[in-house]
Amino acid sequence: MQKLLTTESLIRHHYLEEKDAPRVEWLWDEIRRLKRERNVFLPAHNYQVPEIQAVADFVGDSFELAVKSREIESDYVVFCGVRFMAEGCYTLKPETPVYVPSLRALCSLAEVDEADVAERKEWLRSLGRDFSTMTYVNTYAPVKALSDACCTSSNAPKIAAGLGKPDILFVPDQNLAYQVALKTGRMYLPPPERNEFHPKEYWERVEPLIREGEKQGLQGNVFAWEGACHVHHEMTEQDILRIRAEDPEAVVVVHGEVKPSLQKLADAVLSTSQMIKYVDAHPEKQRFAILTECGLVVRMELEHPEKQFYKSCRLCQYMKANDLENVYETLRDRPADRLVTVEESVREGAARAMSRMIELARA
Ligand code: 13P
Ligand code: SF4
């Protein structure tokens, strides 16, 4: 991939203006020099801008980045993704300092209060439910530490199946929770409204669904949390129906963070790296609609100039908070406020949940 990322190809695809090319090339040279001289590892998520992917040592989805973190042997890391990913890297490899290029690279989905998760677990215990708590990696360490295992969009149903309990409390993405229920034969229990968890009312709402699942002989239930990614949750059924009407031959691929109604309309529900592999694995298909953060399609367009891609054109402002300038500054200066740390007792709990995910995903 990286050999395709030249200033010429980026200008050709309208990702870069000609006037900016000399600065980009200078930054690429400096970043490569600093990485070499200081023995730095620079991982990047698939949503990072192509100029960053061009100088990254590894590009992947959240699961691949977590697995890679355990293998790092560099003196420090500049993590080009969002904060929970950098924190996950530190969690799994605490001997290595991890820096983020921008303090604004956060994630709307990850803002969950661990006290609320503890309360929900206590409520399920008080009802006598036999459950595991699964936490999407798009969370911070205190929430991960409260869970039995983490998961990502590439492995959530497999982790749920591996945990072996009938019920799952799935935190925080309500849409990925649906995918888990569907793929593992459990009843999907829609979340309470945000900041409106009232145990009695909520139980009255979900109990009939639980009874319905029992009648259908389902394995158990997925209690969905009330979180969603603002980028994916705003995508609509119309986005798919319009493409289907205009171009019935186009293959529609969506991320697990889109609403259940969109997941039902799609040809495949995949993680970001799985989407890239899916397109590679279907040379006979010419047109794809890729419903996820728009930046992912950049890479596909560069790798498959013969294919046509319909884009969602929704960007994650958090992923885009990183740019070549702040990556360079971070490598050069290692600003103290960009160092990611987690209190050791919390880190241990989060590391246990992340390691369990890696083991179950590989089983
Ligand atoms: P992936 O694990 O599929 O890369 O997704 C991460 C993410 O933040 C999606 O919005
Ligand atoms: Fe978070 Fe959504 Fe951005 Fe992914 S796209 S990092 S889930 S806000």
Side-chain angles (χ1 to χ4, degrees):
M1 170 62 192
Q2 262 133 337
K3 65 182 184 309
L4 293 172
L5 287 167
T6 60
T7 47
E8 291 76 23
S9 67
L10 294 177
I11 292 167
R12 210 169 40 248
H13 283 85
H14 309 290
Y15 295 123
L16 185 68
E17 288 190 43
E18 212 161 337
K19 68 173 178 42
D20 297 326
R23 177 75 184 158
V24 166
E25 282 178 10
W26 184 84
L27 285 164
W28 280 349
D29 288 346
E30 280 299 288
I31 289 171
R32 288 190 178 114
R33 179 181 67 76
L34 285 171
K35 279 199 306 172
R36 211 177 34 248
E37 289 177 5
R38 298 182 177 184
N39 189 26
V40 182
F41 187 66
L42 199 147
H45 183 262
N46 289 319
Y47 291 159
Q48 292 293 287
V49 290
E51 303 93 284
I52 292 180
Q53 293 197 24
V55 283
D57 297 306
F58 180 81
V59 181
D61 66 12
S62 330
F63 181 68
E64 292 166 335
L65 287 163
V67 171
K68 196 76 192 167
S69 298
R70 304 210 293 193
E71 298 160 9
I72 293 171
E73 283 182 353
S74 305
D75 289 340
Y76 63 99
V77 173
V78 175
F79 202 108
C80 301
V82 286
R83 193 176 184 90
F84 76 79
M85 294 176 179
E87 199 194 73
C89 178
Y90 172 78
T91 298
L92 291 167
K93 192 78 184 171
E95 314 79 65
T96 312
V98 179
Y99 292 85
V100 286
S102 167
L103 297 180
R104 288 182 297 112
L106 302 170
C107 169
S108 53
L109 181 57
E111 301 299 328
V112 178
D113 187 337
E114 66 268 27
D116 293 340
V117 178
E119 180 199 20
R120 196 77 50 95
K121 283 177 66 173
E122 196 42 50
W123 173 67
L124 287 171
R125 262 189 226 114
S126 73
L127 292 170
R129 307 299 310 179
D130 190 13
F131 72 102
S132 294
T133 305
M134 264 176 83
T135 305
Y136 193 27
V137 287
N138 298 40
T139 45
Y140 295 110
V143 170
K144 288 189 173 91
L146 288 176
S147 63
D148 295 296
C150 291
C151 70
T152 74
S153 59
S154 69
N155 57 32
K158 188 167 182 190
I159 307 298
L163 285 171
K165 296 276 186 183
D167 287 351
I168 304 277
L169 171 62
F170 192 92
V171 185
D173 191 281
Q174 58 185 276
N175 299 324
L176 193 59
Y178 169 79
Q179 191 55 209
V180 170
L182 184 76
K183 292 269 172 65
T184 64
R186 288 175 167 81
M187 181 57 92
Y188 173 71
L189 305 177
E193 293 301 316
R194 194 176 276 272
N195 302 324
E196 292 292 336
F197 174 64
H198 304 295
K200 190 168 168 296
E201 284 89 333
Y202 185 57
W203 179 247
E204 280 166 11
R205 189 170 148 213
V206 296
E207 197 193 9
L209 294 170
I210 294 173
R211 301 291 158 247
E212 175 58 31
E214 284 165 0
K215 261 193 239 149
Q216 290 177 22
L218 296 181
Q219 294 231 9
N221 307 282
V222 176
F223 289 82
W225 193 264
E226 49 272 31
C229 157
H230 71 291
V231 177
H232 292 87
H233 201 62
E234 280 170 20
M235 294 177 183
T236 65
E237 285 165 55
Q238 281 311 315
D239 292 333
I240 298 183
L241 295 173
R242 192 173 23 82
I243 292 162
R244 291 264 192 241
E246 276 169 25
D247 188 351
E249 295 293 301
V251 182
V252 177
V253 183
V254 301
H255 195 271
E257 291 174 10
V258 300
K259 287 180 186 154
S261 56
L262 278 77
Q263 295 183 28
K264 286 178 199 159
L265 290 170
D267 296 305
V269 182
L270 301 171
S271 79
T272 55
S273 285
Q274 287 171 339
M275 288 176 171
I276 292 166
K277 288 173 196 148
Y278 186 93
V279 172
D280 291 345
H282 289 85
E284 75 291 359
K285 302 282 183 195
Q286 283 312 304
R287 293 181 305 284
F288 292 85
I290 307 289
L291 272 80
T292 189
E293 208 266 359
C294 216
L296 183 76
V297 186
V298 173
R299 180 162 168 189
M300 296 176 178
E301 285 181 329
L302 290 167
E303 284 180 349
H304 299 284
E306 76 292 357
K307 295 188 194 292
Q308 194 189 333
F309 296 94
Y310 298 99
K311 289 185 252 184
S312 65
C313 286
R314 285 180 177 85
L315 291 175
C316 172
Q317 72 269 38
Y318 303 114
M319 284 282 181
K320 268 42 188 188
N322 299 330
D323 57 30
L324 269 190
E325 300 283 348
N326 57 31
V327 170
Y328 170 60
E329 271 167 32
T330 309
L331 258 170
R332 190 191 56 197
D333 304 339
R334 279 182 265 181
D337 64 342
R338 297 188 201 170
L339 181 68
V340 176
T341 49
V342 181
E343 206 246 298
E344 186 53 20
S345 60
V346 176
R347 189 201 65 77
E348 279 170 10
R352 181 194 33 75
M354 288 188 80
S355 300
R356 184 110 192 257
M357 162 181 77
I358 295 173
E359 281 148 30
L360 288 171
R362 287 175 164 170

